[in-house]
Amino acid sequence: MKASRFASRTACRVAAAGAAAGCTVLVLSSPAFAHVSVAAEGAAAKGGYAVVDFKVPNERDNASTTKLEVAFPTDHPLASAMPEPINGWTIQVTKAKLAKPIELHGKQISEAVSKITWTATGDGVKPGFFQKFPVSVGALPEDADELVFKAIQTYSTKEVVRWIEVQGDGAEEPENPAPVLALTAASEKGHHGTTASNAAEESDDAKAAAKTTEAASDGDASDTTARVLGVVGIVVGFAGVAYGVLAGRRRTTTEA
């Protein structure tokens, strides 16, 4: 009986310890999952363009995310930022004058995107779900390794969470870190990411190569045809000569 009670108490203690450990893991991992973050679809190469996704998980059990505001960096302004339309959300792009104009494709740009705001027209991001907000941005700076986008998340209960804290070098991750986009090195070909002009150039090169291949194929076909006709002509010529010789022999035999 005592052994049974001891085993029962031991099992309860093990279960309680396991539950506590599980709760600890959940508490430690939950904030990392709940962060508003930003990541590129592919590579975000310096000097080029990229499509980036702002990922917004809903961390409340009794409210939905109904609004997202993303502030764009002022130290490295982006002249182009085009959000992708999302069903159930309105999008507002705000621009601001630059203290110092920047050059883009040979043109002076005096203003850049300062903020993009997404507002839900329906339920928004419900509990237990997340939403991605894609934006095409560029040209990315060549003199930076990362870009910081401060974000503000608003819930249906009017609660506001500010993801604006910048993590210092060697410091622990803050409670509400700002989304950070890591930039990669420019490609070795000299094309800093994918641009419209690069795409057009590559398309023209592909067309030229196709035309060259087609012309070469036509030339090869013409040469082959000429060779075949030449061989046929030679065969026909030999056949005519042979026929003439045979006919001559037959005449000679008949006369004799």
Side-chain angles (χ1 to χ4, degrees), residues 7 10-11 46 48-49 53 81 96 119 126 146 170 174 186 195 204 221 236 250 255:
T10 303
K46 297 179 180 180
Y49 288 77
D53 295 327
T119 305
K126 296 181 180 180
E146 62 183 24
T195 64
D204 291 341
V236 172
R250 289 177 179 176
E255 290 176 355

Side-chain angles (χ1 to χ4, degrees), residues 4-186:
S4 177
R5 290 180 180 178
F6 178 77
S8 178
R9 290 177 182 177
T10 303
C12 290
R13 290 176 182 176
V14 172
C23 291
T24 302
V25 172
L26 179 61
V27 169
L28 292 177
S29 61
S30 179
F33 170 78
H35 292 172
V36 172
S37 60
V38 61
E41 296 182 5
K46 297 179 180 180
Y49 288 77
V51 175
V52 299
D53 295 327
F54 293 96
K55 182 180 179 181
V56 182
N58 190 74
E59 60 175 343
R60 299 292 183 265
D61 296 330
N62 60 346
S64 298
T65 297
T66 57
K67 189 177 182 180
L68 174 68
E69 300 172 76
V70 175
F72 279 60
T74 56
D75 54 344
H76 296 288
L78 300 174
S80 176
M82 297 182 293
E84 180 179 329
I86 303 176
N87 292 332
W89 296 81
T90 60
I91 306 173
Q92 181 180 357
V93 179
T94 303
K95 294 185 177 182
K97 292 289 184 181
L98 298 176
K100 182 180 179 181
I102 59 177
E103 185 174 340
L104 181 65
H105 301 311
K107 297 181 180 180
Q108 292 292 320
I109 306 299
S110 59
E111 66 177 12
V113 174
S114 60
K115 183 174 67 173
I116 297 182
T117 303
W118 290 266
T119 305
T121 58
D123 295 333
V125 186
K126 296 181 180 180
F129 292 86
F130 73 89
Q131 176 73 52
K132 286 184 178 181
F133 299 86
V135 183
S136 174
V137 297
L140 298 173
E142 299 183 10
D143 57 349
D145 295 324
E146 62 183 24
L147 293 177
V148 178
F149 298 86
K150 297 182 178 182
I152 298 177
Q153 181 180 12
T154 303
Y155 287 91
S156 56
T157 55
K158 305 303 180 183
E159 178 189 2
V160 175
V161 182
R162 301 178 183 276
W163 304 97
I164 61 175
E165 298 176 7
V166 180
Q167 184 176 359
D169 295 337
E172 295 183 358
E173 186 180 50
E175 184 178 355
N176 295 316
V180 177
L181 176 66
L183 304 182
T184 61

Side-chain angles (χ1 to χ4, degrees), residues 201-217:
E201 291 176 1
E202 292 174 359
S203 177
D204 291 341
D205 293 341
K207 292 179 180 179
K211 290 182 179 179
T212 302
T213 303
E214 183 179 356
S217 299

